[in-house]
Amino acid sequence: MSQVEMVLNMLRPVVASMSAADKSDLLTKVSQLLDANDNKSMATGQSQSNSLSGINFSGGANNALNFAPVQNQGGNVNVASNFNQSYTVNPEVKKVLEDLSQLKASIADSQEINPLLKEPVKLEVQKLEEELQKPEPNPTFVESTLATIKTGLEGAISLVEPTLKIAGLVAKLYGFPLP
């Protein structure tokens, strides 16, 4: 049995006898307790909300709050439940994605890049874009893909500045040295 299940099993009998105001107060205090212990940045991640019988639950930092009603013995459950989930992108990641899109267009238009390298470099930029859009990008993959892009664009003087800008932003986001 997980720690979460143990805590929930201890709370069930107490919560059953609480008033709606007490339940709301408990929810607020538990949310504050969880938020105080969460050291992760809330800039990127999931945000969920759920309403159940007039009580609203919401959370972030990848907390799933999809509650479903349970029928008790001999009773009926008539509860309308709404569950909403969204994923927000860190503004710095969004900026990197915009810059990568511009870099891809510049690669396609550039006459400085060896024609044999143009398509492989564009594919590497696409791979980097896809990886950065994941909720948990692989930093090792990001670093190696960025190094491959820089190598493929060597000699393209007009693309040095945008490539270094992207490399700096990505290195800062994921905490690795500039490739």
Side-chain angles (χ1 to χ4, degrees):
M1 179 180 298
S2 74
Q3 290 178 342
V4 172
E5 290 170 327
M6 288 175 29
V7 170
L8 287 175
N9 286 337
M10 289 187 293
L11 283 176
R12 278 188 181 100
V14 175
V15 171
S17 64
M18 294 174 79
S19 69
D22 289 338
K23 288 178 184 178
S24 179
D25 188 42
L26 174 64
L27 179 62
T28 302
K29 289 181 180 176
V30 168
S31 295
Q32 290 170 349
L33 175 67
L34 294 174
D35 289 342
N37 290 330
D38 186 14
N39 294 332
K40 285 185 133 184
S41 168
M42 295 291 285
T44 300
Q46 295 182 25
S47 174
Q48 296 88 13
S49 66
N50 187 248
S51 64
L52 181 67
S53 295
I55 300 172
N56 294 318
F57 303 90
S58 63
N62 301 323
N63 296 323
L65 299 168
N66 189 8
F67 295 100
V70 178
Q71 181 174 344
N72 59 5
Q73 187 174 353
N76 293 323
V77 176
N78 186 12
V79 178
S81 179
N82 298 319
F83 183 73
N84 300 315
Q85 180 175 354
S86 62
Y87 181 76
T88 56
V89 177
N90 179 324
E92 293 170 329
V93 173
K94 188 175 181 179
K95 175 68 173 136
V96 170
L97 291 172
E98 290 170 1
D99 290 348
L100 283 170
S101 181
Q102 291 174 358
L103 179 62
K104 210 169 24 173
S106 298
I107 291 169
D109 296 339
S110 177
Q111 300 299 318
E112 298 173 284
I113 301 173
N114 179 339
L116 297 174
L117 294 177
K118 201 177 262 198
E119 199 58 36
V121 172
K122 280 182 10 185
L123 287 173
E124 289 297 312
V125 172
Q126 174 121 8
K127 286 182 196 177
L128 184 58
E129 283 177 319
E130 290 170 2
E131 188 67 23
L132 292 176
Q133 290 175 358
K134 293 179 180 178
E136 297 286 330
N138 180 341
T140 306
F141 180 81
V142 170
E143 184 177 10
S144 65
T145 305
L146 191 56
T148 303
I149 292 169
K150 281 185 67 178
T151 303
L153 294 178
E154 283 180 357
I157 297 169
S158 65
L159 299 177
V160 169
E161 184 183 334
T163 304
L164 290 176
K165 178 181 171 186
I166 291 169
L169 287 171
V170 172
K172 180 180 140 192
L173 278 170
Y174 298 101
F176 55 79
L178 286 173

